Amino acid sequence: MRRLRYTAALATVALAGAALTAGSASAGAAGAPVGEAPALPPGASVAGPEISSTPLHVTVALRPADPSGLNLLATQVSTPGSPQFRHFLSPAQVQARFGPPAGAAASVSAWLRSQHLSTGPALGDGLLIPATGSTAQVEAAFQTTIEQVRLANGRMARVNRQAPKVPAKLRPWVATVAGLDNLNAPQPSLAPGPAVGPQACPAARSVKHVYTAAQLAHAYDFTPLYRQGDFGQHITIALFELADYSSQDISTYKRCYGIHPVVRRVRVDGGTTIKASGRGIGEVTADIEVAGVMAPRARILVYEAPTSRGLASVLDNYGAIVQQNRAQVVSSSWGFCEPILPAQVVTVESQLFGAMAIQGQSMMAAAGDAGSEDCLGDLRQVPAHLAYSLQVDDPGSQPFVTSVGGTAIT
């Protein structure tokens, strides 16, 4: 696993949102704080201001029109015996019912463009608006300053020193602004060793201390499914990833096992590269290989976003999986120890996972390699009282996510 680390009647909300215009949210309007300025991790030091011309990608998360209703319906469609059980909606239907009012979304987008930021298509059933500009433009738009920070482990990061602000008339619709900092970049915690893998080639079977796919299938009782002829056909799996993989490695693995799953990249926020992926390559490779060998007739979509954009990439990647609705099963082996995430981001994630449930997408996430000591691996980035306390892993801790883990095979 990789570490990442207003309920209102819909009609009333729609009328209020439609009343917003770009003109009423002018750049000169007094700003209202949204989100927060993160505290520097232990051992971090400010190295100086971020270069003003550096491109910066942020994501503005909007509030759903009816968050309680979204949560309720996500529960109902997932609960056997409920009249709504498995009565799934399309992304357009979810957005029409629970997304922000069109007037609000249009006003936020218009304001961003008035600040010389370019906006991309909405994601997450209309809850996310990606925006890109130079650091100077982003600082001016959100009335904050962004500085370079050297972390205790030597990594250079960026941080916003003041909470971002948006025009007061837009504040009711904006939940948070993600991507202003990238302090808590995901770190790999995948156990070392080759990937696992229906009958392995001799080279794979000869490796010590590694489980083959046949052994995993036996341990997790896949045999009854295989006997019924269920090898994942007619199923599409979306893998949430923040790194790239070597196509040659995947081809070699497929030849070893004689399997032919269809594997395709889906680049989010421009995607990423092998060079920028570091140790994350192993995580992505293992995810693809295990999914491909356990469900060899499934279609696998590898959603890749860059880690450099921080939490903006995390939200955008989940948002793209929700918006496109191409996969019935979503899997993530990336996570954060929950307390280091801003509360607003945890809430936005919850709404995205609720939308997945309503659309019939089953979201699975690794429970985390550290069990109840999830923050201990981030000892250099979190205060000691958090690192040595009982904590869970996000997104496995989310209500509409199935947390997978807690298993040992001997």
Coordinates of all heavy atoms in Angstrom, one line a residue, residues 205-285:
R205 N 7.4 -19.3 -10.0 CA 7.2 -20.4 -8.9 C 8.5 -20.6 -8.1 O 8.5 -21.1 -7.0 CB 6.8 -21.7 -9.5 CG 5.4 -21.6 -10.1 CD 4.8 -23.0 -10.3 NE 5.6 -23.8 -11.2 CZ 5.5 -23.9 -12.5 NH1 4.5 -23.2 -13.1 NH2 6.3 -24.6 -13.3
S206 N 9.6 -20.3 -8.7 CA 10.9 -20.5 -8.1 C 11.4 -19.4 -7.1 O 12.3 -19.6 -6.4 CB 12.0 -20.7 -9.2 OG 12.2 -19.5 -9.9
V207 N 10.7 -18.3 -7.1 CA 11.0 -17.2 -6.2 C 10.5 -17.6 -4.8 O 9.4 -17.9 -4.6 CB 10.4 -15.9 -6.7 CG1 10.8 -14.8 -5.7 CG2 10.9 -15.6 -8.1
K208 N 11.4 -17.5 -3.8 CA 11.1 -17.8 -2.4 C 10.2 -16.7 -1.8 O 10.4 -15.5 -2.1 CB 12.3 -18.1 -1.6 CG 13.1 -19.3 -2.1 CD 14.3 -19.5 -1.2 CE 15.1 -20.8 -1.6 NZ 16.3 -21.0 -0.8
H209 N 9.4 -17.1 -0.8 CA 8.7 -16.1 0.0 C 7.7 -15.3 -0.8 O 7.5 -14.1 -0.4 CB 9.6 -15.3 0.9 CG 10.7 -16.1 1.5 ND1 10.4 -17.0 2.5 CD2 12.1 -16.0 1.4 CE1 11.5 -17.6 2.9 NE2 12.6 -17.0 2.3
V210 N 7.2 -15.8 -1.9 CA 6.3 -15.0 -2.7 C 5.1 -15.9 -3.1 O 5.3 -17.1 -3.5 CB 7.0 -14.5 -4.0 CG1 5.9 -13.9 -4.9 CG2 8.0 -13.4 -3.7
Y211 N 3.9 -15.4 -2.9 CA 2.7 -16.2 -3.2 C 2.4 -16.1 -4.7 O 2.4 -15.0 -5.3 CB 1.5 -15.7 -2.4 CG 1.7 -16.0 -0.9 CD1 1.9 -15.0 0.0 CD2 1.5 -17.3 -0.4 CE1 2.1 -15.2 1.3 CE2 1.6 -17.5 0.9 CZ 1.9 -16.5 1.8 OH 2.0 -16.8 3.1
T212 N 2.1 -17.2 -5.3 CA 1.6 -17.2 -6.7 C 0.1 -16.9 -6.7 O -0.5 -16.9 -5.6 CB 1.9 -18.5 -7.4 OG1 1.1 -19.5 -6.7 CG2 3.3 -18.9 -7.4
A213 N -0.4 -16.6 -7.9 CA -1.9 -16.3 -8.0 C -2.7 -17.5 -7.5 O -3.7 -17.4 -6.9 CB -2.2 -15.9 -9.4
A214 N -2.2 -18.7 -7.8 CA -3.0 -19.9 -7.4 C -3.1 -20.0 -5.9 O -4.1 -20.4 -5.3 CB -2.3 -21.2 -8.0
Q215 N -2.0 -19.7 -5.2 CA -2.0 -19.7 -3.8 C -2.9 -18.7 -3.2 O -3.6 -18.9 -2.2 CB -0.6 -19.6 -3.2 CG 0.3 -20.8 -3.5 CD 1.8 -20.5 -3.2 OE1 2.3 -19.4 -3.6 NE2 2.5 -21.4 -2.6
L216 N -2.9 -17.5 -3.8 CA -3.8 -16.4 -3.3 C -5.3 -16.8 -3.5 O -6.1 -16.6 -2.7 CB -3.5 -15.1 -4.0 CG -2.2 -14.4 -3.5 CD1 -2.0 -13.1 -4.3 CD2 -2.3 -14.0 -2.0
A217 N -5.5 -17.4 -4.7 CA -6.9 -17.8 -5.1 C -7.4 -18.8 -4.1 O -8.6 -18.8 -3.7 CB -7.0 -18.3 -6.5
H218 N -6.5 -19.7 -3.7 CA -6.9 -20.7 -2.7 C -7.1 -20.1 -1.3 O -8.1 -20.4 -0.6 CB -5.8 -21.8 -2.6 CG -6.1 -22.8 -1.5 ND1 -7.0 -23.8 -1.6 CD2 -5.5 -23.0 -0.2 CE1 -7.0 -24.5 -0.5 NE2 -6.1 -24.0 0.3
A219 N -6.3 -19.2 -0.9 CA -6.4 -18.5 0.4 C -7.7 -17.7 0.5 O -8.3 -17.7 1.6 CB -5.2 -17.7 0.7
Y220 N -8.0 -17.1 -0.5 CA -9.2 -16.2 -0.5 C -10.4 -16.8 -1.1 O -11.4 -16.2 -1.4 CB -8.9 -14.9 -1.2 CG -7.9 -14.0 -0.4 CD1 -6.6 -14.0 -0.7 CD2 -8.4 -13.3 0.7 CE1 -5.7 -13.2 0.1 CE2 -7.5 -12.5 1.4 CZ -6.2 -12.5 1.1 OH -5.3 -11.7 1.9
D221 N -10.4 -18.1 -1.3 CA -11.5 -19.0 -1.8 C -12.1 -18.5 -3.1 O -13.3 -18.3 -3.2 CB -12.6 -19.0 -0.7 CG -13.6 -20.1 -0.8 OD1 -13.2 -21.1 -1.4 OD2 -14.7 -20.1 -0.3
F222 N -11.2 -18.2 -4.1 CA -11.7 -17.9 -5.4 C -12.2 -19.1 -6.2 O -12.8 -19.0 -7.2 CB -10.6 -17.2 -6.2 CG -10.5 -15.7 -6.0 CD1 -10.5 -15.1 -4.7 CD2 -10.5 -14.8 -7.1 CE1 -10.5 -13.7 -4.6 CE2 -10.4 -13.5 -7.0 CZ -10.4 -12.9 -5.7
T223 N -11.8 -20.3 -5.7 CA -12.1 -21.5 -6.5 C -13.5 -21.7 -6.9 O -13.8 -22.0 -8.1 CB -11.6 -22.7 -5.7 OG1 -10.2 -22.6 -5.4 CG2 -11.8 -24.0 -6.5
P224 N -14.5 -21.4 -6.0 CA -15.9 -21.6 -6.4 C -16.3 -20.6 -7.6 O -17.1 -21.0 -8.5 CB -16.7 -21.2 -5.2 CG -15.8 -21.5 -4.0 CD -14.4 -21.2 -4.6
L225 N -15.7 -19.4 -7.6 CA -16.0 -18.5 -8.7 C -15.4 -19.0 -10.0 O -16.1 -19.0 -11.0 CB -15.4 -17.1 -8.3 CG -15.9 -16.3 -7.2 CD1 -15.1 -15.1 -6.9 CD2 -17.4 -16.0 -7.4
Y226 N -14.2 -19.5 -9.9 CA -13.5 -20.0 -11.1 C -14.3 -21.2 -11.7 O -14.4 -21.4 -12.9 CB -12.1 -20.4 -10.8 CG -11.2 -19.2 -10.5 CD1 -10.0 -19.4 -9.9 CD2 -11.5 -17.9 -10.9 CE1 -9.1 -18.3 -9.6 CE2 -10.7 -16.8 -10.6 CZ -9.5 -17.0 -10.0 OH -8.7 -16.0 -9.7
R227 N -14.8 -22.1 -10.8 CA -15.6 -23.3 -11.2 C -16.8 -22.9 -11.9 O -17.4 -23.6 -12.7 CB -15.9 -24.1 -10.0 CG -14.6 -24.9 -9.5 CD -15.0 -25.7 -8.2 NE -13.8 -26.5 -7.8 CZ -13.7 -27.1 -6.6 NH1 -14.8 -27.0 -5.8 NH2 -12.7 -27.8 -6.3
Q228 N -17.4 -21.7 -11.5 CA -18.6 -21.2 -12.2 C -18.3 -20.5 -13.5 O -19.2 -20.0 -14.2 CB -19.4 -20.3 -11.3 CG -19.9 -20.9 -10.0 CD -20.5 -19.9 -9.0 OE1 -20.8 -18.8 -9.4 NE2 -20.5 -20.3 -7.7
G229 N -17.0 -20.4 -13.8 CA -16.6 -19.7 -15.0 C -16.6 -18.2 -14.9 O -16.6 -17.4 -15.9
D230 N -16.5 -17.7 -13.6 CA -16.4 -16.3 -13.3 C -14.9 -15.9 -13.2 O -14.3 -16.1 -12.2 CB -17.2 -16.0 -12.0 CG -17.3 -14.5 -11.8 OD1 -16.6 -13.7 -12.4 OD2 -18.1 -14.1 -10.9
F231 N -14.4 -15.2 -14.2 CA -13.1 -14.7 -14.2 C -13.0 -13.2 -14.4 O -12.0 -12.6 -14.9 CB -12.2 -15.4 -15.3 CG -12.1 -16.9 -15.2 CD1 -13.0 -17.8 -15.7 CD2 -11.0 -17.4 -14.4 CE1 -12.8 -19.1 -15.5 CE2 -10.9 -18.7 -14.2 CZ -11.7 -19.6 -14.8
G232 N -14.1 -12.5 -14.0 CA -14.2 -11.1 -14.0 C -14.6 -10.5 -15.4 O -14.6 -9.3 -15.6
Q233 N -15.1 -11.4 -16.3 CA -15.6 -10.9 -17.5 C -16.8 -10.0 -17.3 O -17.5 -10.1 -16.4 CB -16.0 -12.1 -18.5 CG -17.0 -13.0 -17.9 CD -16.4 -14.2 -17.2 OE1 -15.4 -14.1 -16.5 NE2 -17.0 -15.4 -17.4
H234 N -16.9 -9.0 -18.2 CA -18.0 -8.0 -18.2 C -17.8 -7.0 -17.0 O -18.7 -6.2 -16.7 CB -19.4 -8.6 -18.1 CG -19.6 -9.8 -19.1 ND1 -19.4 -9.6 -20.5 CD2 -20.0 -11.0 -18.9 CE1 -19.6 -10.7 -21.1 NE2 -20.0 -11.6 -20.2
I235 N -16.7 -7.0 -16.4 CA -16.4 -6.1 -15.3 C -15.2 -5.2 -15.6 O -14.2 -5.6 -16.2 CB -16.1 -6.9 -14.0 CG1 -17.3 -7.7 -13.5 CG2 -15.6 -5.9 -12.9 CD1 -18.5 -6.8 -13.1
T236 N -15.4 -3.9 -15.3 CA -14.3 -3.0 -15.4 C -13.8 -2.5 -14.0 O -14.7 -2.2 -13.2 CB -14.7 -1.8 -16.2 OG1 -15.1 -2.2 -17.6 CG2 -13.6 -0.8 -16.3
I237 N -12.5 -2.6 -13.8 CA -11.9 -2.2 -12.6 C -11.2 -0.9 -12.8 O -10.4 -0.8 -13.7 CB -10.9 -3.3 -12.0 CG1 -11.6 -4.6 -11.9 CG2 -10.3 -2.8 -10.7 CD1 -10.7 -5.8 -11.6
A238 N -11.5 0.1 -11.9 CA -10.7 1.4 -12.0 C -9.7 1.3 -10.8 O -10.1 1.1 -9.7 CB -11.6 2.6 -11.8
L239 N -8.4 1.5 -11.1 CA -7.4 1.6 -10.1 C -7.0 3.0 -9.9 O -6.6 3.7 -10.9 CB -6.1 0.8 -10.5 CG -6.3 -0.7 -10.7 CD1 -5.0 -1.4 -11.2 CD2 -6.8 -1.4 -9.5
F240 N -7.1 3.5 -8.7 CA -6.7 4.9 -8.3 C -5.2 4.8 -8.1 O -4.7 4.1 -7.2 CB -7.4 5.3 -7.0 CG -6.9 6.6 -6.5 CD1 -7.5 7.8 -6.7 CD2 -5.8 6.6 -5.6 CE1 -7.0 9.0 -6.2 CE2 -5.3 7.8 -5.1 CZ -5.9 9.0 -5.4
E241 N -4.4 5.6 -8.9 CA -3.0 5.6 -8.8 C -2.4 7.0 -8.8 O -3.0 7.9 -9.5 CB -2.3 4.7 -9.9 CG -2.9 3.3 -10.0 CD -2.5 2.4 -8.8 OE1 -1.7 2.9 -7.9 OE2 -2.9 1.2 -8.8
L242 N -1.3 7.2 -8.2 CA -0.6 8.4 -8.2 C 0.9 8.2 -8.7 O 1.8 8.9 -8.3 CB -0.6 9.1 -6.9 CG -2.0 9.5 -6.3 CD1 -1.9 9.9 -4.9 CD2 -2.6 10.6 -7.2
A243 N 1.0 7.3 -9.6 CA 2.3 7.0 -10.2 C 2.1 6.2 -11.5 O 0.9 5.8 -11.8 CB 3.2 6.1 -9.3
D244 N 3.1 6.1 -12.3 CA 3.0 5.4 -13.6 C 3.6 4.0 -13.5 O 4.0 3.6 -12.4 CB 3.8 6.1 -14.7 CG 3.4 5.8 -16.1 OD1 2.5 5.0 -16.3 OD2 4.1 6.3 -17.0
Y245 N 3.5 3.2 -14.5 CA 4.0 1.8 -14.5 C 4.7 1.5 -15.9 O 4.5 2.2 -16.9 CB 2.9 0.8 -14.3 CG 1.8 0.8 -15.4 CD1 1.9 -0.1 -16.4 CD2 0.7 1.7 -15.3 CE1 0.9 -0.1 -17.4 CE2 -0.2 1.7 -16.3 CZ -0.2 0.8 -17.3 OH -1.1 0.8 -18.3
S246 N 5.5 0.5 -15.9 CA 6.2 0.1 -17.1 C 5.3 -0.9 -17.8 O 4.9 -2.0 -17.3 CB 7.5 -0.6 -16.8 OG 8.0 -1.3 -17.9
S247 N 4.9 -0.6 -19.1 CA 4.0 -1.5 -19.9 C 4.8 -2.8 -20.1 O 4.2 -3.9 -20.2 CB 3.7 -0.8 -21.2 OG 2.9 0.4 -21.0
Q248 N 6.1 -2.7 -20.3 CA 6.9 -3.9 -20.5 C 6.8 -4.9 -19.3 O 6.7 -6.1 -19.5 CB 8.4 -3.5 -20.8 CG 9.2 -4.7 -21.1 CD 10.7 -4.3 -21.5 OE1 11.0 -3.1 -21.6 NE2 11.5 -5.3 -21.6
D249 N 6.8 -4.3 -18.1 CA 6.7 -5.2 -16.9 C 5.4 -5.9 -16.9 O 5.3 -7.1 -16.6 CB 6.8 -4.3 -15.7 CG 8.3 -3.9 -15.4 OD1 9.2 -4.4 -16.1 OD2 8.5 -3.0 -14.5
I250 N 4.3 -5.2 -17.2 CA 3.0 -5.8 -17.3 C 2.9 -6.9 -18.3 O 2.3 -8.0 -18.1 CB 1.9 -4.7 -17.5 CG1 2.0 -3.7 -16.3 CG2 0.5 -5.4 -17.5 CD1 1.8 -4.2 -14.9
S251 N 3.5 -6.6 -19.5 CA 3.4 -7.6 -20.6 C 4.2 -8.9 -20.2 O 3.8 -10.0 -20.5 CB 4.1 -7.0 -21.9 OG 3.3 -5.9 -22.3
T252 N 5.3 -8.7 -19.5 CA 6.1 -9.9 -19.1 C 5.3 -10.7 -18.1 O 5.3 -11.9 -18.1 CB 7.4 -9.4 -18.4 OG1 8.2 -8.7 -19.4 CG2 8.2 -10.6 -17.9
Y253 N 4.6 -10.0 -17.2 CA 3.8 -10.7 -16.2 C 2.7 -11.5 -16.8 O 2.4 -12.6 -16.5 CB 3.3 -9.7 -15.2 CG 2.6 -10.3 -14.0 CD1 3.4 -10.7 -12.9 CD2 1.2 -10.5 -13.9 CE1 2.7 -11.2 -11.7 CE2 0.6 -11.0 -12.8 CZ 1.4 -11.4 -11.7 OH 0.8 -11.9 -10.6
K254 N 2.0 -10.8 -17.8 CA 0.9 -11.5 -18.4 C 1.4 -12.7 -19.2 O 0.7 -13.8 -19.2 CB 0.2 -10.5 -19.4 CG -0.6 -9.4 -18.6 CD -1.6 -8.7 -19.5 CE -0.9 -7.8 -20.5 NZ -1.9 -6.9 -21.3
R255 N 2.5 -12.6 -19.8 CA 3.1 -13.8 -20.5 C 3.4 -14.9 -19.6 O 3.1 -16.1 -19.9 CB 4.4 -13.4 -21.3 CG 4.1 -12.7 -22.6 CD 5.3 -12.7 -23.5 NE 6.5 -12.1 -22.8 CZ 6.8 -10.8 -22.8 NH1 6.0 -10.0 -23.5 NH2 7.9 -10.3 -22.2
C256 N 3.9 -14.6 -18.4 CA 4.2 -15.6 -17.4 C 3.0 -16.4 -17.0 O 3.1 -17.7 -16.9 CB 4.8 -15.0 -16.2 SG 5.1 -16.1 -14.8
Y257 N 1.9 -15.8 -16.9 CA 0.6 -16.4 -16.4 C -0.3 -16.8 -17.6 O -1.3 -17.5 -17.3 CB -0.1 -15.5 -15.4 CG 0.5 -15.6 -14.0 CD1 1.4 -14.7 -13.6 CD2 0.1 -16.7 -13.2 CE1 1.9 -14.8 -12.3 CE2 0.6 -16.8 -11.9 CZ 1.6 -15.8 -11.5 OH 2.1 -15.9 -10.2
G258 N 0.0 -16.4 -18.8 CA -0.8 -16.7 -19.9 C -2.2 -16.1 -19.8 O -3.2 -16.6 -20.2
I259 N -2.2 -14.8 -19.3 CA -3.5 -14.1 -19.1 C -3.5 -12.9 -20.1 O -2.4 -12.4 -20.5 CB -3.7 -13.6 -17.7 CG1 -2.5 -12.7 -17.2 CG2 -3.9 -14.8 -16.7 CD1 -2.7 -12.1 -15.8
H260 N -4.7 -12.4 -20.3 CA -4.8 -11.3 -21.3 C -5.8 -10.2 -20.9 O -6.7 -9.8 -21.6 CB -5.3 -11.9 -22.7 CG -4.4 -13.0 -23.2 ND1 -3.2 -12.8 -23.7 CD2 -4.6 -14.3 -23.1 CE1 -2.7 -14.0 -24.0 NE2 -3.5 -14.9 -23.7
P261 N -5.7 -9.7 -19.6 CA -6.6 -8.6 -19.3 C -6.3 -7.4 -20.1 O -5.1 -7.1 -20.4 CB -6.3 -8.4 -17.8 CG -4.9 -8.9 -17.6 CD -4.7 -10.1 -18.6
V262 N -7.3 -6.6 -20.4 CA -7.1 -5.3 -21.1 C -6.7 -4.3 -20.0 O -7.4 -4.0 -19.1 CB -8.3 -4.9 -21.8 CG1 -8.1 -3.5 -22.5 CG2 -8.7 -5.9 -22.9
V263 N -5.5 -3.6 -20.2 CA -5.1 -2.6 -19.3 C -4.9 -1.3 -20.0 O -4.2 -1.3 -21.0 CB -3.7 -3.0 -18.6 CG1 -3.3 -2.0 -17.6 CG2 -3.9 -4.4 -17.9
R264 N -5.5 -0.2 -19.5 CA -5.4 1.1 -20.2 C -5.1 2.2 -19.2 O -5.7 2.1 -18.1 CB -6.7 1.4 -21.0 CG -7.0 0.4 -22.1 CD -6.1 0.7 -23.3 NE -6.4 -0.1 -24.4 CZ -5.9 -1.3 -24.7 NH1 -5.0 -1.9 -23.9 NH2 -6.3 -2.0 -25.8
R265 N -4.3 3.1 -19.5 CA -4.1 4.3 -18.7 C -5.2 5.3 -19.0 O -5.6 5.5 -20.1 CB -2.7 5.0 -19.1 CG -1.5 4.2 -18.6 CD -0.3 5.0 -19.1 NE 1.0 4.4 -18.6 CZ 1.6 3.4 -19.3 NH1 1.1 2.9 -20.4 NH2 2.7 2.9 -18.8
V266 N -5.6 6.0 -17.9 CA -6.4 7.2 -18.0 C -5.7 8.3 -17.2 O -5.5 8.2 -16.0 CB -7.8 6.9 -17.3 CG1 -8.7 8.2 -17.5 CG2 -8.5 5.7 -17.9
R267 N -5.3 9.3 -18.0 CA -4.4 10.3 -17.4 C -5.3 11.4 -16.8 O -6.2 12.0 -17.6 CB -3.5 10.9 -18.4 CG -2.5 9.8 -19.0 CD -1.4 10.4 -19.9 NE -0.6 9.4 -20.5 CZ 0.4 8.7 -20.0 NH1 0.7 9.0 -18.7 NH2 1.1 7.8 -20.6
V268 N -5.1 11.7 -15.6 CA -5.9 12.8 -14.9 C -4.9 13.9 -14.6 O -3.8 13.7 -14.1 CB -6.6 12.2 -13.6 CG1 -7.3 13.4 -12.9 CG2 -7.5 11.1 -14.0
D269 N -5.3 15.1 -14.8 CA -4.4 16.3 -14.5 C -3.1 16.2 -15.3 O -2.1 16.5 -14.9 CB -4.1 16.5 -13.1 CG -5.3 16.9 -12.3 OD1 -6.3 17.3 -12.9 OD2 -5.3 16.8 -11.0
G270 N -3.2 15.6 -16.5 CA -2.0 15.4 -17.3 C -1.3 14.1 -17.1 O -0.3 13.8 -17.8
G271 N -1.7 13.3 -16.1 CA -1.0 12.1 -15.8 C 0.3 12.3 -15.2 O 0.7 13.4 -14.7
T272 N 1.1 11.2 -15.2 CA 2.5 11.3 -14.6 C 3.4 10.5 -15.5 O 3.0 10.0 -16.5 CB 2.5 10.9 -13.2 OG1 3.8 11.1 -12.6 CG2 2.1 9.4 -13.0
T273 N 4.7 10.3 -15.1 CA 5.7 9.6 -15.8 C 6.4 8.7 -15.0 O 6.4 8.7 -13.7 CB 6.7 10.6 -16.4 OG1 7.4 11.3 -15.3 CG2 6.0 11.7 -17.3
I274 N 7.1 7.7 -15.6 CA 8.0 6.8 -14.9 C 9.0 7.6 -14.0 O 9.3 7.3 -12.9 CB 8.7 5.9 -15.8 CG1 7.7 4.9 -16.5 CG2 9.8 5.1 -15.1 CD1 7.2 3.8 -15.6
K275 N 9.6 8.6 -14.7 CA 10.7 9.4 -14.0 C 10.2 10.0 -12.7 O 10.9 10.1 -11.7 CB 11.2 10.4 -14.9 CG 12.4 11.2 -14.4 CD 12.9 12.2 -15.4 CE 14.1 13.0 -14.8 NZ 14.6 14.0 -15.8
A276 N 8.9 10.5 -12.7 CA 8.4 11.2 -11.6 C 7.8 10.3 -10.6 O 7.3 10.8 -9.5 CB 7.3 12.2 -12.1
S277 N 7.7 9.0 -10.8 CA 6.9 8.1 -10.0 C 7.7 7.5 -8.8 O 7.2 7.1 -7.8 CB 6.4 6.9 -10.8 OG 5.5 7.4 -11.8
G278 N 9.1 7.4 -8.9 CA 9.9 6.9 -7.9 C 9.4 5.5 -7.5 O 9.1 4.7 -8.3
R279 N 9.4 5.3 -6.2 CA 9.0 3.9 -5.7 C 7.6 3.6 -5.9 O 7.2 2.4 -5.7 CB 9.4 3.8 -4.2 CG 10.9 3.8 -3.9 CD 11.1 3.7 -2.4 NE 10.6 4.8 -1.7 CZ 10.4 4.8 -0.3 NH1 10.6 3.7 0.4 NH2 10.0 5.9 0.3
G280 N 6.8 4.6 -6.3 CA 5.4 4.4 -6.6 C 5.1 3.4 -7.7 O 4.1 2.8 -7.8
I281 N 6.1 3.2 -8.6 CA 6.0 2.3 -9.7 C 5.7 0.9 -9.2 O 4.8 0.2 -9.8 CB 7.3 2.3 -10.6 CG1 7.5 3.7 -11.2 CG2 7.2 1.2 -11.6 CD1 8.9 3.8 -11.9
G282 N 6.3 0.5 -8.1 CA 6.1 -0.8 -7.6 C 4.7 -1.0 -7.1 O 4.1 -2.1 -7.3
E283 N 4.1 0.0 -6.5 CA 2.7 0.0 -6.1 C 1.8 -0.2 -7.2 O 0.9 -1.1 -7.2 CB 2.4 1.3 -5.3 CG 1.1 1.2 -4.6 CD 1.1 0.5 -3.3 OE1 2.2 0.3 -2.8 OE2 0.0 0.1 -2.8
V284 N 1.9 0.6 -8.2 CA 1.0 0.6 -9.4 C 1.1 -0.8 -10.1 O 0.1 -1.4 -10.4 CB 1.3 1.7 -10.4 CG1 0.3 1.7 -11.5 CG2 1.2 3.0 -9.6
T285 N 2.4 -1.2 -10.3 CA 2.6 -2.5 -11.0 C 1.9 -3.7 -10.2 O 1.3 -4.5 -10.8 CB 4.1 -2.8 -11.1 OG1 4.7 -1.7 -11.8 CG2 4.4 -4.1 -11.8

